[in-house]
Amino acid sequence: MEAAGNGEHRKGLWTVEEDLILMDYVKVHGKGKWNRAAKFTGLKRDGKSCRLRWMNYLSPSVKRGAFSEEEDDLIIRLHKLLGNRFLFNLDIRTPTSCAFGQNELWWSLIAGRIPGRTDNQVKNHWNIHLSKQLGVKGKYKIGDSSSEFSKKPEGDFNIKSSSNDRLIPSNKTEAELQNVLEGSHEKAKEITSTQEPILTSDFYDPYLYAPSLMELLDESLDFLWHDF
DNA sequence: AAATCACGCAACCGCAGTGAT
DNA sequence: TATCACTGCGGTTGCGTGATT
């Protein structure tokens, strides 16, 4: 790989030596302040590159190797939950639905529920493997009403096969899951109807609803994750 | 054996949010 | 209040490698 145009920062794949230098730095100074890390270590990388390398590869919490069936299944479930149940079907024409539903993919949120996997890993895995496996044409985007994914019938997700049954919490049934999701939908409506959006000059600030909705979403995800 | 193709993954890019000064 | 550095995210790109011709 060649250096960047200004000759200051290297680009491309990291070498073993660079990895070791960055790991040593983090060992001593901890994570964060990546720009300073880049300067301090003498690495010819920018801070963003250092951060990305650590978060996606060097961090001990990152799990390497192939995704398990359980992980695949969970990704599919979460993707479905975030895309079709919670967000896309949240048929409220408010700033919130715009903020959370239009062309947004919450890979970080999904990845956060899969121990050891990064958003980048999950995103790549979805785009390369799972989207094909599910017959999704192109790259699915939450909020894209024309996407093949959003039109998929329930049964096509292969989430009820015997090998995957354990992914449903032992003390909860699909019907209960449905109830929780419906409840989330209702709660979300409530939140968006009771919280006054603040109107700035000529647009709503969509993120003003975020905290309540994020908590609500987390509750729904906890339901999925609980008892694993 | 060489050339081409397809796939998987790591890394980059651009943008936005947040906090410090 | 304005500015800047830092952080985090999703989308995209392009390299490495194995399979195929």
Side-chain angles (χ1 to χ4, degrees):
Chain A
M1 271 311 146
E2 59 209 76
N6 58 12
E8 285 296 319
H9 297 130
R10 265 172 56 81
K11 290 187 179 181
L13 296 179
W14 281 62
T15 64
V16 176
E17 289 76 21
E18 286 176 317
D19 282 349
L20 290 173
I21 290 170
L22 186 58
M23 286 172 78
D24 282 346
Y25 176 86
V26 173
K27 234 182 252 175
V28 176
H29 299 92
K31 293 184 288 182
K33 310 289 180 190
W34 296 107
N35 280 321
R36 287 173 208 180
K39 282 179 192 167
F40 183 87
T41 57
L43 285 168
K44 289 184 165 33
R45 299 278 182 173
D46 64 12
K48 284 179 82 168
S49 185
C50 291
R51 174 188 165 272
L52 201 69
R53 184 62 177 172
W54 175 262
M55 304 291 264
N56 284 343
Y57 197 87
L58 298 178
S59 170
S61 63
V62 173
K63 190 168 151 189
R64 315 298 308 167
F67 279 66
S68 66
E69 266 187 47
E70 285 76 14
E71 287 172 322
D72 282 355
D73 193 278
L74 188 57
I75 292 168
I76 292 167
R77 276 177 175 276
L78 291 173
H79 202 287
K80 188 181 174 189
L81 171 69
L82 292 173
N84 292 352
R85 301 299 187 97
F86 188 83
L87 298 172
F88 180 66
N89 283 348
L90 189 63
D91 189 21
I92 310 165
R93 295 294 173 255
T94 64
T96 314
S97 60
C98 294
F100 291 97
Q102 301 301 314
N103 298 320
E104 296 283 346
L105 275 175
W106 290 6
W107 295 120
S108 58
L109 208 55
I110 295 174
R113 295 282 157 170
I114 305 173
R117 298 298 185 181
T118 69
D119 56 344
N120 213 28
Q121 283 179 308
V122 172
K123 183 171 58 181
N124 281 334
H125 189 62
W126 173 268
N127 286 334
I128 293 165
H129 300 280
L130 300 181
S131 61
K132 285 178 194 167
Q133 185 184 318
L134 295 171
V136 180
K137 288 172 186 168
K139 289 176 182 175
Y140 167 63
K141 290 183 176 182
I142 289 170
D144 177 2
S145 60
S146 65
S147 80
E148 292 294 318
F149 188 91
S150 65
K151 293 173 185 169
K152 274 280 176 187
E154 198 91 344
D156 281 6
F157 288 94
N158 192 30
I159 60 173
K160 294 178 181 174
S161 65
S162 58
S163 65
N164 291 324
D165 278 349
R166 67 185 123 167
L167 288 169
I168 301 169
S170 57
N171 61 339
K172 297 177 178 72
T173 64
E174 283 285 342
E176 285 175 304
L177 174 61
Q178 181 70 29
N179 284 339
V180 167
L181 295 171
E182 294 299 329
S184 297
H185 189 184
E186 290 308 312
K187 275 191 190 175
K189 277 186 175 176
E190 196 181 310
I191 289 167
T192 53
S193 64
T194 57
Q195 290 186 2
E196 283 296 320
I198 293 176
L199 200 58
T200 58
S201 57
D202 57 354
F203 65 95
Y204 290 101
D205 183 351
Y207 292 98
L208 291 173
Y209 291 129
S212 300
L213 279 175
M214 287 304 292
E215 286 166 16
L216 172 59
L217 176 59
D218 222 38
E219 280 176 25
S220 297
L221 295 178
D222 276 334
F223 177 85
L224 282 174
W225 190 247
H226 192 60
D227 287 351
F228 267 63

